[in-house]
């Protein structure tokens, strides 16, 4: 049986696999803000990126290793293919962290071997021990993944795992790379590994999986019942294609049903010891931060963190909940940090009240950032009577999200209505300080604004998503706008909040353009590909 740390280790890959979601690219400050929040959430491991993929990834992993990885903090992990150049770059990037891990991988399924890597099984049996050993010489903690394990021949998989452990891998990860398996099959695979790999007791078994059939979380729970003790997951389940297993669903599944899961850990059903080290009250905040910064909107009916997850619409349900919440609620909203606290910050609140509330919400801002947040707060308080926690979060996450300001929005003015053709006037200041103004007609006010901005920036793109949602209830609520645009086949998102949704749309669009410019300029360096598994590129794992 594989090693059992006595609970489930949470390996968060929001910043690596999650960032592989189309359009979710994050800048350095955003990655850092998410990593800091993941540390507050209490994850065991942060997979901070894929250092060899680009200079941007390398720098972000290194910065996270420097700032977030403490002696008591999460392990900072970097991904690398099973090649020396990848592994070396990964070791350098995670270097500053006191607790660090190299996660190296190679595919083991015949489909991947034949069509992607063009390698034989014998090649893999040679590469794996050599590369794991190479990584082990650079850091103590090495994880090895058999990519596409769920579609690999189990007997071959057992051989590969055996060699990886012998070469020093302390964690063996079993990915369902294409989201193909089912719960009983995946549980069976974990049983098979435990039974047929003779040195499996020297490693922790981990699982990783995608949600192509909507089964990732169910597959993981079955794997846990059969001895998996690390789960690789992302906040809000974001990730490649249909995403990864959602951290909040796994954690809350284990928490709410601990009586059911406890015996699989050799505990009494009633044992109160948590099955993960996650501070569940941080879940809502983390979910919102990731959604705001990546521009990946959480569907309203999403389990645990969707806007409707705690809403009761039918009269029968409302009646039941009023009599006793247990009739229709299995999770207490407070457990995930969803408070119905109405705080009374308003126009007259001072800087220290705002700072205190932000600190209670977990935002520890520098003096400069606090000044900026306070100025935004004052501006909002002039337009909105009561400022809620959600408003404050919207203010701060927009602030964190500011990419380098290549363009600054200076003015937005729109005329529209039943008898008017929507017309927008916008002014932008570009990087050298020149102010430019344009006027445009459009099918609606937002279309007019976007057309006017486009005529000023001359960056060919296609607007592919525009969504508005209200931050809180009430006619004076902040409107949060998320925009995604496509440029040279890549998606870029922008986010903004304002009581005027047209202004929020204009700012979100400018933010998306700034992000496009900063990511292209700073992070868009070509991927260096080496000889070992060169058919693979960084963002198409
Ligand atoms: O899905 C996958 O197989 C991966 C591996 C690199 C772990 O992301
Ligand atoms: Zn993956």
């Amino acid at each position: 049986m594989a090693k059992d740390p006595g609970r489930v280790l949470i390996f968060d890959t929001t910043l690596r696999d999650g960032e592989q979601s189309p359009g979710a690219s994050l800048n350095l400050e955003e990655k850092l803000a998410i990593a800091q929040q993941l540390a507050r959430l209490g994850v065991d491991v942060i997979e901070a990126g894929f250092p060899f993929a680009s200079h941007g990834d390398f720098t972000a992993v290194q910065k996270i290793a420097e700032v977030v990885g403490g002696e008591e903090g999460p392990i900072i992990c970097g991904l690398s293919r099973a090649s020396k150049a990848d592994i070396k770059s990964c070791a350098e990037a995670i270097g500053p962290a006191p607790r660090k891990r190299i996660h190296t991988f190679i595919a083991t399924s015949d489909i991947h071997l034949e069509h992607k890597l063009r390698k034989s099984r014998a090649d893999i049996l040679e590469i794996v021990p050599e590369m794991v050993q190479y990584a082990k010489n650079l850091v103590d903690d090495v994880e090895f993944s058999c990519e596409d394990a769920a579609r690999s021949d189990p007997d071959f998989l057992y051989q590969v795992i055996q060699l990886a452990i012998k070469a020093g891998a302390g964690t063996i990860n079993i990915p369902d790379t294409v989201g193909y398996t089912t719960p009983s099959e995946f549980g069976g695979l974990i049983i098979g590994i435990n039974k047929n790999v003779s040195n499996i007791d020297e490693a922790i078994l981990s699982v990783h999986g995608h949600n192509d059939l909507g089964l990732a979380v169910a597959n993981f729970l079955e794997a846990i019942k059969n001895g998996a003790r690390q789960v690789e997951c992302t906040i809000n389940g974001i990730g490649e294609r249909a995403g990864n297993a959602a951290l909040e669903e796994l954690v809350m599944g284990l928490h709410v049903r601990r009586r059911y899961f406890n015996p699989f850990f050799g505990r009494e059903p009633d044992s109160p010891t948590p099955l993960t080290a996650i501070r569940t009250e941080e879940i809502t905040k983390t979910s919102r931060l990731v959604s705001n910064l990546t521009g990946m909107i959480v569907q309203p009916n999403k389990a645990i963190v969707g806007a409707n997850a705690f809403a009761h619409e039918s009269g029968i349900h409302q009646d039941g909940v009023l009599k006793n919440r247990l009739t229709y609620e299995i999770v207490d909203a407070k457990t995930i940090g969803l408070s119905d606290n109405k705080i009374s910050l308003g126009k007259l609140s001072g800087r220290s009240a705002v700072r205190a509330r932000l600190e209670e919400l977990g935002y520890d801002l520098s003096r400069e950032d606090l000044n900026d947040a306070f100025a935004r707060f004052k501006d909002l308080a002039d337009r909105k009577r009561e400022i809620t926690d959600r408003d404050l979060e919207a203010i701060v996450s927009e602030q964190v999200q500011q990419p380098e300001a290549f363009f600054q929005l200076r003015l937005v003015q729109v005329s529209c209505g039943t008898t008017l053709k929507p017309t927008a006037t916008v002014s932008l200041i570009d990087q050298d300080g020149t102010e430019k103004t344009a006027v445009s007609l459009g099918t609606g006010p937002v279309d007019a604004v976007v057309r006017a901005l486009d005529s000023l920036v001359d960056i060919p793109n296609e607007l592919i998503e525009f969504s508005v949602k209200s931050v809180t209830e009430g006619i004076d609520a902040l409107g949060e706008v998320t925009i995604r645009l496509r440029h040279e086949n890549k998606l870029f998102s922008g986010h903004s909040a304002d009581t005027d949704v047209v202004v929020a749309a204009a700012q979100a669009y400018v933010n998306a353009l700034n992000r496009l410019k900063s990511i292209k300029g700073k992070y868009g360096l070509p991927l260096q590909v080496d000889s070992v598994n060169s058919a693979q590129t960084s963002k198409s794992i």
Side-chain angles (χ1 to χ4, degrees):
M1 193 74 176
K3 261 193 199 162
D4 187 355
R7 63 176 171 88
V8 177
L9 304 174
I10 302 293
F11 176 115
D12 181 277
T13 184
T14 305
L15 294 173
R16 199 278 296 170
D17 217 333
E19 212 225 359
Q20 287 176 213
S21 313
S25 346
L26 296 159
N27 66 30
L28 182 60
E29 288 73 28
E30 291 161 349
K31 286 184 183 181
L32 205 53
I34 291 177
Q36 277 163 330
Q37 179 55 29
L38 290 172
R40 270 182 227 120
L41 179 67
V43 304
D44 297 283
V45 186
I46 294 177
E47 187 165 52
F50 186 173
F52 195 71
S54 70
H55 286 291
D57 260 40
F58 182 95
T59 313
V61 174
Q62 197 172 44
K63 191 80 194 163
I64 290 169
E66 236 170 72
V67 176
V68 185
E71 290 292 350
E72 304 293 316
I75 295 172
I76 306 299
C77 173
L79 182 70
S80 67
R81 291 169 296 184
S83 83
K84 285 193 175 165
D86 259 55
I87 293 171
K88 188 162 174 281
S89 146
C90 184
E92 273 166 29
I94 59 174
R99 304 176 69 217
K100 46 188 166 250
R101 174 179 298 181
I102 292 178
H103 175 194
T104 186
F105 74 99
I106 197 160
T108 47
S109 70
D110 289 334
I111 300 177
H112 278 229
L113 261 56
E114 189 182 332
H115 302 289
K116 187 183 74 169
L117 299 180
R118 311 225 159 88
K119 294 197 182 299
S120 65
R121 288 186 179 190
D123 293 333
I124 302 300
L125 294 176
E126 222 174 273
I127 294 168
V128 170
E130 193 192 332
M131 291 305 129
V132 170
Q133 217 159 56
Y134 181 72
K136 187 78 183 172
N137 286 336
L138 301 174
V139 300
D140 222 34
D141 184 351
V142 176
E143 169 170 334
F144 173 73
S145 280
C146 321
E147 192 191 10
D148 207 17
R151 291 192 302 169
S152 302
D153 168 8
D155 288 327
F156 178 57
L157 199 63
Y158 305 150
Q159 283 182 57
V160 174
I161 295 172
Q162 176 109 21
L163 289 174
I165 296 174
K166 194 161 170 233
T171 303
I172 294 293
N173 184 41
I174 309 299
D176 178 21
T177 302
V178 290
Y180 179 75
T181 196
T182 64
S184 59
E185 260 177 1
F186 205 44
L189 183 60
I190 301 298
I191 294 175
I193 293 169
N194 268 320
K195 214 156 96 189
N196 294 293
V197 177
S198 63
N199 53 0
I200 196 69
D201 58 335
E202 294 168 36
I204 287 179
L205 257 178
S206 165
V207 285
H208 177 108
H210 288 264
N211 212 21
D212 299 64
L213 297 176
L215 293 172
V217 169
N219 291 336
F220 279 25
L221 292 175
E222 203 57 29
I224 289 170
K225 281 164 60 181
N226 290 293
R229 288 294 178 265
Q230 176 180 281
V231 288
E232 301 198 351
C233 43
T234 60
I235 302 296
N236 302 335
I238 63 169
E240 192 80 56
R241 305 183 308 279
N244 287 66
L247 179 148
E248 62 281 0
E249 294 177 21
L250 285 162
V251 167
M252 291 311 290
L254 291 168
H255 176 74
V256 173
R257 299 303 312 277
R258 54 192 182 277
R259 271 187 68 79
Y260 172 74
F261 286 104
N262 272 336
F264 297 101
F265 291 75
R267 307 172 176 189
E268 290 300 315
D270 278 335
S271 165
T273 315
L275 286 168
T276 71
I278 292 296
R279 292 176 201 105
T280 58
E281 328 76 69
E282 294 287 329
I283 285 178
T284 300
K285 193 178 341 133
T286 317
S287 161
R288 286 178 182 162
L289 182 72
V290 168
S291 172
N292 287 342
L293 297 188
T294 57
M296 304 281 294
I297 292 164
V298 175
Q299 75 196 56
N301 59 327
K302 161 89 177 60
I304 312 296
V305 291
N308 293 350
F310 293 89
H312 301 280
E313 186 71 13
S314 109
I316 297 175
H317 288 209
Q318 286 174 352
D319 177 55
V321 167
L322 286 174
K323 287 175 176 148
N324 185 332
R325 301 200 82 85
L326 290 179
T327 51
Y328 287 102
E329 266 184 24
I330 58 163
V331 180
D332 178 350
K334 290 199 188 79
T335 320
I336 58 156
L338 194 62
S339 72
D340 40 17
N341 263 0
K342 274 240 166 28
I343 57 153
S344 46
L345 283 181
K347 218 157 119 142
L348 300 177
S349 306
R351 182 189 310 263
S352 48
V354 172
R355 190 191 50 217
R357 188 63 199 149
L358 281 169
E359 276 172 8
E360 273 165 39
L361 289 171
Y363 295 101
D364 187 11
L365 301 187
S366 68
R367 197 185 164 78
E368 211 177 274
D369 286 345
L370 180 67
N371 286 345
D372 203 355
F374 187 63
R376 285 160 184 259
F377 165 81
K378 278 291 187 198
D379 179 45
L380 180 60
D382 276 340
R383 291 175 283 150
K384 190 171 185 289
R385 206 165 48 82
E386 193 177 49
I387 310 290
T388 66
D389 289 355
R390 285 290 283 123
D391 292 324
L392 281 181
E393 280 171 0
I395 287 173
V396 178
S397 59
E398 191 183 334
Q399 202 170 310
V400 171
Q401 204 196 13
Q402 296 311 312
E404 261 173 74
F406 288 91
F407 307 112
Q408 276 177 52
L409 185 65
R410 176 112 174 79
L411 170 127
V412 187
Q413 211 171 37
V414 177
S415 56
C416 60
T418 45
T419 56
L420 291 173
K421 187 104 182 118
T423 311
T425 307
V426 299
S427 297
L428 270 188
I429 303 180
D430 68 19
Q431 231 181 351
D432 58 21
T434 320
E435 182 168 338
K436 301 182 204 157
T437 300
V439 180
S440 181
L441 297 174
T443 52
V446 173
D447 184 47
V449 165
V450 167
R451 283 171 192 268
L453 287 169
D454 273 345
S455 71
L456 292 177
V457 297
D458 195 25
I459 299 174
N461 74 77
E462 186 192 348
L463 183 65
I464 60 154
E465 186 182 317
F466 168 71
S467 75
V468 190
K469 87 176 189 250
S470 138
V471 171
T472 50
E473 286 148 21
I475 198 75
D476 61 351
L478 275 182
E480 255 179 338
V481 173
T482 301
I483 273 180
R484 295 216 282 167
L485 52 86
R486 194 194 326 261
H487 169 76
E488 292 177 356
N489 249 343
K490 275 188 167 274
L491 299 180
F492 299 90
S493 65
H495 175 86
S496 185
D498 198 286
T499 46
D500 182 327
V501 289
V502 178
V503 173
Q507 188 60 62
Y509 194 67
V510 171
N511 288 348
L513 293 170
N514 279 333
R515 177 185 297 253
L516 181 160
K517 292 274 282 179
S518 79
I519 287 173
K520 262 193 93 169
K522 223 165 34 169
Y523 300 98
L525 299 169
L527 170 74
Q528 314 153 53
V529 181
D530 72 335
S531 59
V532 173
N533 31 7
S534 60
Q536 203 171 325
T537 60
S538 68
K539 297 289 178 193
S540 56
I541 294 162

